[in-house]
Amino acid sequence: MKSQMEWIELQNQTKLETRAFINGEYCQALDNATFETVNPATGKKLADIARCKQQDVDIAVSHARQAFQAGDWQNQSPASRKAILQRFADLITSHHDTLALLESLDTGKPIAHAYSTDIPGAAASLRWYAEALDKVYGEVAPTEKDVHAFISHQPIGVVAAIVPWNFPLWLACWKLGPALAAGNSVILKPSEKSSLTAIYLGQLANEAGFPAGVFQVITGLGHEAGEALARHYDVNCITFTGSTKVAGQLMVNSGETNLKRVWAEAGGKNANIVFANYSNLDQAAAEAAGGCFYNQGEVCVAATRLLVEESIKDEFIDKVVTAAQRFAPKDPLDPSCCMGTLIDNEHKQKVLDYVTLAQEEGATVICGGDVKGDAAFVAPVILDNVSNEMRVAQEEIFGPVLCVISFKDEEDAIRIANDSQYGLGAAVWTSDLSQAHRVAKQLEAGSVWVNNYNEGDMTVPFGGFKMSGNGRDKSLHAFDKFTETKTTWIRL
Ligand code: NAD
């Protein structure tokens, strides 16, 4: 990987593309409006991005529809679609450095993480679905002998992918992979806080060979461009990752218009349960810190509620405090940085307000907090004496704040873990195999980790119970979101 000086040099050489990508071409918003995107590590403006609105969305949707109806993409042979999607993934890999740099500048995340995880993860997602697309079969139903019924899966049509700012390119590719592989036209709407890598994909899509209109990028604000997509009568499906609040709004928008499918990956307030019998508490503490503070805590499955058995609580907190030291905030372009800045100063203030609220509610700050200056840095915060009823234990903070809650026994741990409106992820650390099975089964979460936090792979579904969303990203299950199921009856 490059040195800090080399990253700065690359930044100086890189000309930022800031326009939307519609029908195979970069273009400004029709009214030429723009909005600023800021580097949270410096507080300085990076660029003015095209601010698309309803009229731009209408144009993009009509091109997406035309490409779909013409069969430009869905009717290509599977081998041909596979080759184009693989080329798209390869191009991400060959533009690895620039994409990692843009992601770090736009979000404040450590360049080392963007380089080692986000960008390779994005390419791997596309590649996985490229490889899968000609391995998914239909079914034949066990009907009476004089009829034949088969069940096939057809692309759903025009898909809008609305994504957040915490892993901008990576999460976008979790959606682009299966949606494109299934033969749809896809419009990507990145967060207004992190548009640069999505925009960059436009030129790569052309180079990969997608027909115009099959992949487009609409930049803009949530309540303008995002809502225009969500209310559009010719969009068949919204695939969303973001807050639970906006997920709900999208469902209302769909209900008030054309009942488009709405798939939402939303918030989390995840429990990480540590039993006293676990044989390697140092490892559990290191992963408790990593699970909560990775990506500045701006992770939907962050391990924000640490449930520790009463008898080992103080000893365990000491270990977590030690483990958290490697997350001391640094310049994100420093390759040794493990904790960058939050997405912006407004979000930083929200996170710090939660720390103040926690203290008012009776929690104790063990370490961390504000780092003064223009950059949106917050040092990892560990809160002791939290009870699960407190707002800091119930609401998603989406920053580097760990809430420590003690429990008496297994039943108590499960009760506390499930006492949440969310149900995205949960973990249990135990050396008792039967306990691992008992607890894992009862946890209300889409992913449960035993003796690890946040293992993941494209081969497994990811998503949540309860208000953490519906549907699942990743794995073959994701195809279900982007296809319609058709039954065809033939009388013999
Ligand atoms: P957000 O909900 O504010 O925004 C997400 C996207 O929705 C952005 O592109 C935004 O422009 C758009 N949007 C906002 N208002 C809209 C509206 N009225 N209509 C249509 N689109 C609108 O979320 P965020 O702050 O970008 O991201 C943080 C949230 O994302 C957290 O809650 C986090 O838990 C969640 N998240 C969930 C997962 C998961 O897989 N479950 C993964 C990552 C992040």
Side-chain angles (χ1 to χ4, degrees):
M1 199 180 52
K2 293 181 186 303
S3 67
Q4 189 169 6
M5 284 312 296
E6 287 167 330
W7 286 116
I8 292 168
E9 219 168 279
L10 180 61
Q11 180 182 2
N12 293 336
Q13 289 161 10
T14 305
K15 186 178 174 310
L16 299 181
E17 179 54 76
T18 59
R19 294 171 293 172
F21 180 73
I22 297 178
N23 200 30
E25 287 174 6
Y26 283 111
C27 53
Q28 293 294 358
L30 276 179
D31 64 2
N32 280 317
T34 57
F35 63 93
E36 279 189 5
T37 190
V38 170
N39 178 348
T42 60
K44 296 206 175 93
K45 179 168 91 174
L46 276 172
D48 293 304
I49 309 279
R51 180 172 171 174
C52 296
K53 305 201 182 92
Q54 172 86 53
Q55 60 268 30
D56 308 285
V57 166
D58 288 344
I59 292 171
V61 173
S62 104
H63 287 301
R65 175 62 55 192
Q66 275 166 30
F68 187 72
Q69 293 302 121
D72 297 352
W73 175 240
Q74 61 164 323
N75 292 344
Q76 286 193 27
S77 70
S80 163
R81 277 188 282 131
K82 177 185 208 160
I84 292 174
L85 205 46
Q86 272 172 338
R87 211 151 44 230
F88 200 23
D90 291 345
L91 284 162
I92 290 181
T93 303
S94 56
H95 290 253
H96 188 157
D97 283 359
T98 307
L99 286 165
L101 176 68
L102 295 181
E103 210 72 304
S104 175
L105 293 173
D106 222 2
T107 62
K109 71 169 62 206
I111 187 73
H113 296 173
Y115 184 85
S116 66
T117 309
D118 291 60
I119 308 307
S125 309
L126 297 183
R127 207 167 279 127
W128 198 87
Y129 286 101
E131 285 165 1
L133 74 82
D134 58 359
K135 296 173 187 65
V136 185
Y137 293 75
E139 299 155 68
V140 175
T143 53
E144 300 279 339
K145 78 173 178 22
D146 57 348
V147 284
H148 174 66
F150 61 92
I151 300 150
S152 55
H153 301 280
Q154 298 187 340
I156 196 165
V158 176
V159 174
I162 302 181
V163 295
W165 46 259
N166 59 338
F167 297 100
L169 189 66
W170 195 6
L171 294 187
C173 287
W174 282 7
K175 309 202 181 278
L176 296 180
L180 288 168
N184 298 289
S185 295
V186 185
I187 300 172
L188 174 62
K189 159 47 193 107
S191 165
E192 51 272 44
K193 296 179 183 183
S194 59
S195 313
L196 293 174
T197 48
I199 296 174
Y200 199 93
L201 284 187
Q203 57 164 344
L204 303 188
N206 275 350
E207 217 180 308
F210 285 99
V214 170
F215 170 73
Q216 304 180 88
V217 182
I218 281 285
T219 48
L221 309 185
H223 67 278
E224 294 177 350
E227 193 170 325
L229 286 164
R231 298 193 70 83
H232 204 293
Y233 276 85
D234 213 15
V235 170
N236 302 103
C237 168
I238 298 274
T239 174
F240 170 79
T241 296
S243 61
T244 294
K245 181 166 172 242
V246 173
Q249 281 166 6
L250 297 176
M251 289 175 186
V252 171
N253 290 333
S254 163
E256 287 177 351
T257 55
N258 64 340
L259 295 193
K260 58 179 69 63
R261 313 293 181 259
V262 177
W263 302 112
E265 300 296 337
K269 193 76 196 179
N270 313 286
N272 184 19
I273 306 171
V274 182
F275 285 100
N277 67 28
Y278 185 60
S279 60
N280 189 344
L281 290 177
D282 288 326
Q283 182 211 355
E287 292 202 35
C292 186
F293 300 131
Y294 184 78
N295 209 50
Q296 301 69 244
E298 295 166 328
V299 180
C300 51
V301 282
T304 47
R305 287 186 300 147
L306 176 61
L307 275 48
V308 192
E309 194 161 351
E310 235 163 37
S311 58
I312 56 160
K313 193 189 81 168
D314 291 341
E315 171 203 352
F316 194 73
I317 288 179
D318 288 347
K319 291 180 191 293
V320 179
V321 171
T322 306
Q325 282 164 7
R326 84 185 172 96
F327 292 95
K330 277 190 192 171
D331 179 352
L333 290 188
D334 176 344
S336 70
C337 168
C338 212
M339 164 80 91
T341 70
L342 300 192
I343 188 69
D344 58 25
N345 278 314
E346 191 187 338
H347 186 51
K348 169 176 169 171
Q349 193 52 52
K350 179 188 145 191
V351 170
L352 294 176
D353 287 348
Y354 267 113
V355 177
T356 308
L357 173 70
Q359 290 169 288
E360 287 165 9
E361 288 184 307
T364 319
V365 177
I366 307 246
C367 61
D370 190 13
V371 178
K372 303 264 183 255
D374 292 337
F377 285 121
V378 174
V381 177
I382 299 179
L383 298 173
D384 192 9
N385 301 317
V386 176
S387 76
N388 203 52
E389 295 70 44
M390 292 180 183
R391 280 183 56 197
V392 285
Q394 289 293 329
E395 297 174 18
E396 189 182 43
I397 300 173
F398 218 57
V401 180
L402 179 64
C403 298
V404 183
I405 302 169
S406 63
F407 65 84
K408 285 198 279 299
D409 54 23
E410 185 179 304
E411 196 186 326
D412 197 29
I414 295 166
R415 180 189 60 76
I416 297 170
N418 289 340
D419 177 18
S420 168
Q421 63 178 345
Y422 297 110
L424 193 55
V428 50
W429 300 80
T430 174
S431 289
D432 175 344
L433 183 63
S434 301
Q435 181 173 55
H437 277 282
R438 271 195 312 271
V439 176
K441 189 173 174 196
Q442 292 177 77
L443 289 171
E444 296 165 356
S447 299
V448 175
W449 297 285
V450 177
N451 298 345
N452 75 87
Y453 199 91
N454 211 358
E455 282 290 344
D457 191 69
M458 284 313 294
T459 52
V460 298
F462 179 82
F465 287 20
K466 303 194 273 188
M467 289 178 79
S468 291
N470 59 1
R472 293 294 181 268
D473 277 332
K474 303 165 73 185
S475 82
L476 294 181
H477 292 275
F479 277 121
D480 296 344
K481 302 196 294 188
F482 304 117
T483 51
E484 286 290 12
T485 301
K486 178 181 279 182
T487 305
T488 306
W489 284 98
I490 300 177
R491 185 174 295 276
L492 306 179

